Amino acid sequence: MENILLSNSEIERMSIEEKCEYYLKLQNYCLTQNFKNSSNKLFKKVIYHLSPFIRNYDLEIYGEENIPPDDSAVFISNHSNSHDFFSIIEVFGNIGKPVTPFGASDCLNFATKLLFMLGDVTLIDRGNKESSINGMLHFSKKIIEGKCGLILGEGTWNLHPILPMQPIKIGGTKVAAITNKVIIPTIFEYVEVNDICEKENELYKKCIVMFGKAITVKTEDNIISKTKEVQVIMENMRRDLWRKIGINKRSLDDINKNVYLNHTYLKKFGAFGFEFDSEHEFQYLLRHNNKLIDNEYCLNPNGDFVPGITKKDRSTLLISTG
């Protein structure tokens, strides 16, 4: 199986004709494989109908006109918190599009993994190359056969106080090339309250979902360069949305640090059925210019607000305002 997916350097040495032949071979390979499928249509309907009653915030959807009405597509989105799975099921149910999300199993407990499998999430073990390849091909098959595929491009939650996006991985662009489908850049913006909260379900006022204009991946495109193009588009989409709804994140000075620390703690440790392990997720952040980008801020022993991991200890969460 490892020989089915070539490296980017091997693909870039091909002529356009050879690339066309390669991607067609991958499409045919995907369609001939009998991948294990644990999804349940009835279960997805139950989740869809329950989601509006589970969430404690409003849901707004914009840009639906950018989605191909009679075709599937590859949706690349940001990744913010434990609500994304339920938001995806509800949003795509609202717009009448069957969807298969792409996610990681290595960070899930048994119950959550089962929940995702029944919800048609294409799961991979990020630490296992064969699992990643098999998952990408299975994901591609579902898209070729008519489902919309949504991949959380950053690969892990973006908990940074001011960055709109962590660098996204090339998987979504590669799937678009394999399936010959357009990319729809997608933003899930959970608008947070500006207060200290006691429970995770108090954090959000609403979730704004924005679908951007379709991006075509041509045979001659370099996958890495195209991914960076998608990255810039998504960052601009989110910054534009911040400006429109009055969110100011131009620098760390704009951040209410006590609120940020409180909200980050609740996202990581207060969500029902989920717990975010920063040290485990750290390895899945991409580097920029060979330097790891910070994903989280915390208090150091001197009480300074610095890059680092929020521990499961509420006593370390308050910055003195005296």
Side-chain angles (χ1 to χ4, degrees), residues 250-274:
R250 289 174 294 186
S251 75
L252 289 176
D253 292 334
D254 298 322
I255 303 302
N256 183 322
K257 297 174 178 59
N258 283 325
V259 169
Y260 167 83
L261 292 167
N262 168 257
H263 287 199
T264 300
Y265 182 92
L266 291 175
K267 289 175 191 176
K268 290 175 59 172
F269 307 119
F272 178 76
F274 292 87

Side-chain angles (χ1 to χ4, degrees), residues 131-146:
S131 172
S132 297
I133 293 173
N134 189 65
M136 179 175 289
L137 296 174
H138 189 190
F139 186 60
S140 297
K141 177 179 181 177
K142 293 178 184 179
I143 296 168
I144 295 168
E145 292 180 335

